[in-house]
Amino acid sequence: MSAFKNNSRPQTPTVKDGDQYVKVINGLKHIYNSKIKPLETTYNFEGFHSSPLTNSDIEAKPIVLLIGQYSTGKTTFIRYLLDKAYPGEHIGVEPTTDRFVAVMHNSEERVIPGNAAAVNAELPFRGLNKFGQAFLSRFQVSQTNSPVLENMTIIDTPGILAGDKQRIERGYDYTQIIEWFSNRADLIILLFDSHKLDISNEFKLAINSLRGQEEKIRVILNKSDMVSQQQLMRVYGAMMWSLGKVVQTPEVMRVYLGSFWTEKPPNCFEDCRELLEAEQNDLLKDLRELRRNASIRKINDIVKRARLARVHALIIGHLKKEMPSMFGKNKKQEKLLANLDQEFIKIQHKYHLPAGDFPNPERFRQNLSLYNMDKFKPLKEDILARVDEALGVDLPRLMTEFPQGNPMLDEQNRNPFAGLESYDPQTGHVTQDFWTFAAVDRDAYAGVFRQIGPRDGKIGGSQIKPVLMESGLPNDVLAQVWRLADWDNDGYMDLDEFAVAMHLIKAAQRNEPLPEKLPQSLMPGRKL
């Protein structure tokens, strides 16, 4: 029996089209299209920064980007989350995923090739066209019907090998692709294998390209049950040491220990099972909160983009104003290019702008040299005023419309006492909620379980028998409790089975008839 697997794959809450976030996203689209986008198109924002956002970019579900070296379990992790295979997946010990795969929700199973996906206005991948055919032939969208994918899109990436041969033969710049996806991702997961802790040159370049995105990064030390508890401590320390040489940040990255098997190998170690379960539940909770955090991040990104576009318009308007109306235009343009730093300072002082809002002068100069400044449009106060209104009024008001709390969390996480009010004093019987695992007070029984002294996460019947007999129930009732709670019939109990056994004893003490067969809802990760 895999107690880890049973306990750690909770039902993922789904979000319907009419949920509370749709109103916020629709408001964000309206503000951007009516007040910010006109400024971008008027003053050539695309030529200096990025192309205008489409509705599909703003509507896009949260993106989870998986990065790791080959055979660290990226594809298996996706299958674990979905609890099913997705079209086009390939799992093996050798480097198997040779392309970028966007795993998305759809009622029908299908694979969309990269070229078709990059021109589909309904998908948020049109920006990938700039990387050309060499990359698009190695990109695909795999769509499958999964409730998990109603709330997120998962990007699987090719496993990274050591050495330069693979990097040279790819035909595209792997690091640039990772940077493109990381800018749009809401969560970036770096996967390590407990037996593969080295960081190759290309993996190092990929991690370096994530600078500025540190708050999105999570690290998973996968296959943690393939080493003993003592070895795991050493492996964890070695991984943190390796990461410390690559990631130049004062904050320590959030690291999760886990083992995301679709079928657990027989040679797993069980001495850290409870720790791994707790770590995995933390990660899954992080994923459940992704929808709310991603919506806030979208507003934050639009605010940053609007501030940048506003400064860009002021720069373009200033340069246009400095150009002569008749003669000497070429010489003036050359002078403005050469003294661009000084022009930035003039604009900064004139409009009382912080220096941090200005772009890199050298990069801006390179793009600016491709344009004829005389062709730029003069500054239009009405367009600028609409952006100011968006920044000062519309976007702050939109933040107040966010739903309170987090509807993506299940009721048990939002209210720790929810589901525990399972006794009805009017009828004198337990309610239907009693027969769910959410009503089992697992934490309350964990201390008793540890005092008995489990080995490899389990306790034998002879050790548990005295504890159960303290209930004062007849032997035939206790025998039925054991048959129900030992659902894998191996003669041992892990913490989940023990907690259910104590829960059933509570029912029997209230003279509730015990079921002939344990309800599925009383097993971890199952619902009524």
Side-chain angles (χ1 to χ4, degrees):
M1 182 201 73
S2 174
F4 174 62
K5 185 172 180 180
N6 283 342
N7 184 49
S8 57
R9 185 178 291 139
Q11 298 294 321
T12 304
T14 60
V15 177
K16 305 304 180 184
D17 292 339
D19 72 15
Q20 300 177 70
Y21 293 106
V22 170
K23 181 180 177 182
V24 174
I25 296 300
N26 286 339
L28 191 59
K29 286 190 297 182
H30 174 73
I31 293 169
Y32 175 76
N33 289 324
S34 63
K35 298 187 177 181
I36 300 171
K37 188 175 180 179
L39 187 79
E40 295 182 5
T41 55
T42 302
Y43 296 105
N44 305 88
F45 185 81
E46 180 176 1
F48 293 81
H49 300 282
S50 60
S51 57
L53 299 177
T54 63
N55 283 341
S56 59
D57 290 326
I58 300 175
E59 293 168 354
K61 296 172 184 175
I63 292 177
V64 178
L65 176 63
L66 303 182
I67 307 173
Q69 302 193 144
Y70 79 94
S71 194
T72 53
K74 296 186 298 298
T75 305
T76 305
F77 176 70
I78 297 175
R79 181 189 280 194
Y80 184 92
L81 289 180
L82 305 185
D83 203 15
K84 61 180 291 189
Y86 63 84
E89 78 163 29
H90 187 189
I91 297 175
V93 295
E94 76 282 7
T96 51
T97 303
D98 63 344
R99 61 189 63 230
F100 284 79
V101 182
V103 187
M104 306 183 73
H105 180 267
N106 193 40
S107 57
E108 297 180 358
E109 308 263 325
R110 62 175 180 174
V111 173
I112 304 176
N115 284 284
V119 297
N120 190 331
E122 296 180 358
L123 299 176
F125 304 120
R126 302 184 76 175
L128 291 172
N129 279 302
K130 68 178 182 179
F131 296 111
Q133 178 64 26
F135 167 71
L136 292 177
S137 63
R138 292 292 179 183
F139 172 64
Q140 72 181 43
V141 174
S142 293
Q143 295 184 324
T144 187
N145 191 0
S146 167
V148 175
L149 296 175
E150 291 182 21
N151 304 319
M152 69 183 76
T153 293
I154 305 174
I155 307 295
D156 193 7
T157 61
I160 304 172
L161 295 172
D164 292 331
K165 183 174 184 292
Q166 181 195 36
R167 177 176 59 82
I168 295 171
E169 292 183 353
R170 284 194 196 274
Y172 59 86
D173 191 322
Y174 178 87
T175 305
Q176 284 189 9
I177 306 296
I178 289 293
E179 186 174 4
W180 189 91
F181 277 111
S182 68
N183 286 333
R184 290 154 179 81
D186 299 276
L187 193 67
I188 302 168
I189 296 179
L190 304 180
L191 275 98
F192 288 85
D193 186 325
S194 59
H195 289 98
K196 294 189 184 76
L197 297 179
D198 59 309
I199 298 178
S200 66
N201 291 338
E202 192 171 33
F203 195 15
K204 182 177 180 180
L205 290 173
I207 294 174
N208 286 336
S209 72
L210 304 178
R211 281 183 182 167
Q213 316 281 354
E214 286 82 6
E215 78 282 356
K216 303 178 184 177
I217 300 176
R218 306 290 185 271
V219 179
I220 296 178
L221 180 55
N222 198 17
K223 307 178 187 177
S224 292
D225 57 359
M226 298 306 292
V227 293
S228 67
Q229 185 177 29
Q230 184 181 25
Q231 291 172 322
L232 182 59
M233 293 172 63
R234 294 171 179 165
V235 167
Y236 180 87
M239 184 191 70
M240 296 303 291
W241 180 80
S242 298
L243 274 174
K245 295 195 301 181
V246 178
V247 180
Q248 305 299 322
T249 175
E251 295 84 12
V252 177
M253 286 186 173
R254 178 64 169 97
V255 178
Y256 296 97
L257 304 176
S259 290
F260 298 93
W261 303 106
T262 51
E263 294 184 10
K264 191 177 72 170
N267 58 336
C268 289
F269 289 85
E270 298 293 335
D271 48 358
C272 286
R273 183 61 62 198
E274 192 171 340
L275 170 64
L276 300 184
E277 290 176 5
E279 287 283 292
Q280 175 176 318
N281 287 335
D282 285 349
L283 174 61
L284 295 175
K285 184 176 179 181
D286 212 356
L287 290 172
R288 283 196 297 270
E289 293 197 347
L290 193 59
R291 178 68 178 264
R292 173 179 170 81
N293 295 339
S295 299
I296 295 174
R297 190 189 68 81
K298 284 181 190 294
I299 295 182
N300 183 61
D301 287 349
I302 294 292
V303 170
K304 286 164 54 178
R305 187 180 181 96
R307 289 170 65 94
L308 184 61
R310 183 179 185 276
V311 171
H312 175 80
L314 293 174
I315 293 172
I316 296 299
H318 172 80
L319 295 175
K320 169 65 176 178
K321 190 175 181 180
E322 290 293 310
M323 290 295 290
S325 58
M326 296 292 291
F327 305 106
K329 294 182 180 182
N330 291 338
K331 285 186 177 181
K332 185 62 176 178
Q333 175 155 334
E334 290 174 5
K335 184 178 179 180
L336 289 170
L337 278 171
N339 300 317
L340 191 59
D341 302 51
Q342 297 302 314
E343 300 302 322
F344 278 8
I345 293 174
K346 290 180 185 178
I347 300 167
Q348 181 184 342
H349 290 163
K350 181 178 179 180
Y351 294 101
H352 309 289
L353 300 169
D357 281 359
F358 282 78
N360 180 286
E362 187 55 41
R363 184 177 295 181
F364 197 89
R365 184 182 289 111
Q366 292 176 2
N367 292 324
L368 190 59
S369 63
L370 304 175
Y371 290 87
N372 182 349
M373 295 184 195
D374 190 51
K375 301 294 184 183
F376 287 156
K377 294 180 180 178
L379 197 61
K380 297 181 179 179
E381 294 296 337
D382 59 328
I383 297 181
L384 202 63
R386 289 207 294 271
V387 174
D388 290 338
E389 186 180 16
L391 288 170
V393 180
D394 298 329
L395 291 170
R397 184 171 57 207
L398 195 61
M399 283 295 296
T400 66
E401 297 179 8
F402 261 96
Q404 297 299 311
N406 185 2
M408 292 306 301
L409 292 178
D410 54 39
E411 184 64 25
Q412 184 70 19
N413 278 317
R414 277 184 276 160
N415 179 356
F417 298 99
L420 301 181
E421 61 274 28
S422 48
Y423 181 75
D424 187 347
Q426 293 183 352
T427 64
H429 294 284
V430 297
T431 65
Q432 189 180 26
D433 289 340
F434 183 90
W435 304 105
T436 65
F437 192 74
V440 177
D441 197 353
R442 185 177 184 271
D443 292 340
Y445 303 124
V448 178
F449 184 79
R450 283 192 289 267
Q451 286 179 2
I452 300 173
R455 295 192 62 182
D456 295 332
K458 294 189 176 185
I459 300 175
S462 60
Q463 294 172 279
I464 293 179
K465 181 178 178 181
V467 177
L468 302 187
M469 290 185 68
E470 289 177 6
S471 65
L473 294 172
N475 284 341
D476 59 333
V477 175
L478 293 177
Q480 186 179 2
V481 167
W482 181 275
R483 282 194 298 271
L484 292 171
D486 182 23
W487 51 70
D488 60 347
N489 199 30
D490 65 349
Y492 293 85
M493 283 191 178
D494 61 17
L495 176 55
D496 289 334
E497 292 171 313
F498 177 72
V500 169
M502 299 302 290
H503 192 69
L504 292 172
I505 284 176
K506 186 191 298 184
Q509 288 174 330
R510 291 176 176 172
N511 296 319
E512 291 288 336
L514 297 179
E516 290 298 319
K517 183 179 179 182
L518 188 73
Q520 289 285 311
S521 57
L522 262 177
M523 293 185 181
R526 310 294 178 86
K527 286 191 172 182
L528 279 170

